[in-house]
Amino acid sequence: RTGADLVSTAANTFIDFLRRDLAPSAQAQDAVGPEMYQVTSRAFLGAEVDLRDLYDYGWSELARLTSAATTLGRELTGQADLDAARRAIDDRPGGSVKVGPELVNWLQSRMDRVTTALSGTHFDIPAATLPVEAKMVTAGSGVMYYSAPDPGGTRPGRVWWSVPPGTTSVPTWREVSTVHHEGLPGHHLQFAITQGIAELHPWQRYLCHIHGYAEGWAHYSEQLAVDLGLLQDDTELLGVYGAQLWRAARIVIDLGLHLGYPIPQGTGLTDELRWTPEVAVQFLHQVAGVDVATAGYEVDRYLGWPGQALAFKVGAKLWTQARTDQQQQLGNAFNLKEFHMSALRLGPMGLDPLRSLLASKSPAGGI
């Protein structure tokens, strides 16, 4: 308790410094511009990328995913409008879980079932790092996040469900994809395997965090959960589309806010042609179904972390392409479990060196 009080005092002091001393000297424009953005995006991804091409890719993904989600929403509810379909599913009996022990139990049971389904069959996960624990924070921003096991093994990996103050229930169908992202086969599985590889340097096992690698794997894992049959029904698949729309929206919002790229005409997703924080919040809410409070937190995050938002979709694109390349190369000899395990056993690294190593895999052996 004494330690927690000291941390709270320090945090409040820092907040006072930010508001009193730093904010008055800050620029009115939050965008960092192309020169700084190229540096920060390269650091987050561990790769050189064409930013304009990524912006166009983000819009193409938004169009593809919006069409797929709208079609599925109509099949599930009869509603032609995607947002109306989401609301109709939210209103179904049993579609939401109460915040508190009931929500924690739902999260824990879901992760336990997935752990049983994946361990030994699709992945070899060390027993010492296999367990994952569900936790909840009720004074958070509305996002789910993961904390890895400590090197000494005194605590397990944990998935934390953070809900905005005042939230009484959560429509879990919307969140299943994020559970897979943060838990298994996402962040927890990747950390659990990495920490069990004695051949890796301790820095790479416990401290190295390249966002393009880690977030790319976690976002790739959301679709992998679909491929491996971990969803319970098509309602959860609609939730997966929502999560993928969120990540695609991150690309265009982040690039648009920081680099001043215009919003293309005729997208049908917004009537605005210029990015502002307010437009970005509404865009996330409209396109991906993100609640307004969480969308506001997200946009603040993009403005404070220029380039980090690319890591999810860009990293997943690499993992998917590497898998496709090996399937084409090996044909009937391709084994999905062997591909995943050999790739994850390389440990965290930038996307460019990872791409090179995955491409060098020969039919006769490992990477």
Side-chain angles (χ1 to χ4, degrees):
R1 182 176 298 276
T2 300
D5 290 342
L6 289 172
V7 170
S8 296
T9 300
N12 288 329
T13 301
F14 186 52
I15 290 170
D16 289 340
F17 161 75
L18 292 174
R19 288 174 172 163
R20 182 187 64 246
D21 301 331
L22 191 61
S25 62
Q27 299 181 30
Q29 175 60 261
D30 285 318
V32 299
E35 184 176 0
M36 177 63 73
Y37 194 91
Q38 191 70 55
V39 173
T40 57
S41 63
R42 184 170 62 242
F44 282 123
L45 297 174
E48 296 282 354
V49 294
D50 186 311
L51 299 177
R52 186 68 209 209
D53 281 352
L54 281 183
Y55 190 65
D56 294 339
Y57 167 71
W59 281 109
S60 68
E61 281 293 277
L62 283 169
R64 178 184 70 84
L65 291 165
T66 299
S67 175
T70 301
T71 298
L72 182 57
R74 186 186 308 116
E75 293 172 355
L76 291 170
T77 67
Q79 297 286 344
D81 178 73
L82 179 55
D83 192 47
R86 291 174 177 141
R87 292 195 302 270
I89 295 173
D90 286 343
D91 292 339
R92 289 177 177 176
S96 296
V97 176
K98 290 182 180 179
V99 171
E102 187 175 342
L103 184 58
V104 175
N105 290 337
W106 181 91
L107 177 58
Q108 187 67 62
S109 63
R110 183 81 187 207
M111 293 192 299
D112 289 345
R113 290 198 303 270
V114 173
T115 300
T116 300
L118 294 180
S119 183
T121 304
H122 298 287
F123 295 92
D124 295 325
I125 311 173
T129 50
L130 179 60
V132 58
E133 187 175 57
K135 292 285 187 179
M136 190 177 69
V137 178
T138 56
S141 53
V143 298
M144 207 177 301
Y145 60 94
Y146 173 73
S147 60
D150 67 295
T154 65
R155 66 176 183 273
R158 290 168 174 165
V159 173
W160 296 80
W161 202 319
S162 166
V163 297
T167 303
T168 58
S169 64
V170 174
T172 52
W173 70 271
R174 292 178 180 253
E175 307 295 341
V176 165
S177 197
T178 306
V179 172
H180 292 304
H181 178 109
E182 302 296 341
L184 293 94
H187 283 314
H188 177 68
L189 185 143
Q190 182 251 305
F191 274 93
I193 291 175
T194 298
Q195 291 193 4
I197 304 172
E199 292 81 7
L200 293 178
H201 190 281
W203 172 79
Q204 198 177 16
R205 293 173 69 186
Y206 302 119
L207 296 176
C208 179
H209 185 78
I210 308 297
H211 289 251
Y213 175 94
E215 299 298 352
W217 168 263
H219 187 47
Y220 164 81
S221 295
E222 297 174 42
Q223 180 60 46
L224 181 62
V226 179
D227 299 340
L228 298 181
L230 300 179
L231 302 189
Q232 294 183 348
D233 53 38
D234 282 346
T235 299
E236 293 186 355
L237 179 59
L238 186 62
V240 171
Y241 284 141
Q244 293 179 349
L245 281 164
W246 186 348
R247 273 60 176 195
R250 279 177 170 170
I251 293 179
V252 298
I253 292 173
D254 201 60
L255 288 165
L257 285 172
H258 286 292
L259 302 183
Y261 290 158
I263 299 173
Q265 292 183 335
T267 63
L269 300 175
T270 176
D271 294 329
E272 300 289 339
L273 297 179
R274 186 175 66 87
W275 287 110
T276 66
E278 294 74 23
V279 169
V281 169
Q282 185 58 37
F283 187 79
L284 268 180
H285 175 64
Q286 172 191 348
V287 172
V290 180
D291 67 86
V292 174
T294 302
Y297 162 82
E298 282 283 304
V299 173
D300 283 345
R301 165 178 159 170
Y302 306 155
L303 291 171
W305 249 11
Q308 193 271 346
L310 303 181
F312 302 78
K313 197 73 173 166
V314 176
K317 184 180 181 183
L318 168 70
W319 283 102
T320 302
Q321 187 59 56
R323 170 178 162 178
T324 300
D325 290 346
Q326 285 202 15
Q327 284 177 308
Q328 294 175 348
Q329 180 186 12
L330 301 180
N332 292 335
F334 176 80
N335 183 286
L336 187 60
K337 178 181 178 181
E338 290 180 4
F339 166 72
H340 287 145
M341 292 303 302
S342 61
L344 289 173
R345 284 171 177 151
L346 292 170
M349 64 182 68
L351 294 181
D352 274 349
L354 179 65
R355 180 188 294 115
S356 298
L357 286 168
L358 291 177
S360 69
K361 187 181 190 308
S362 67
I367 294 173

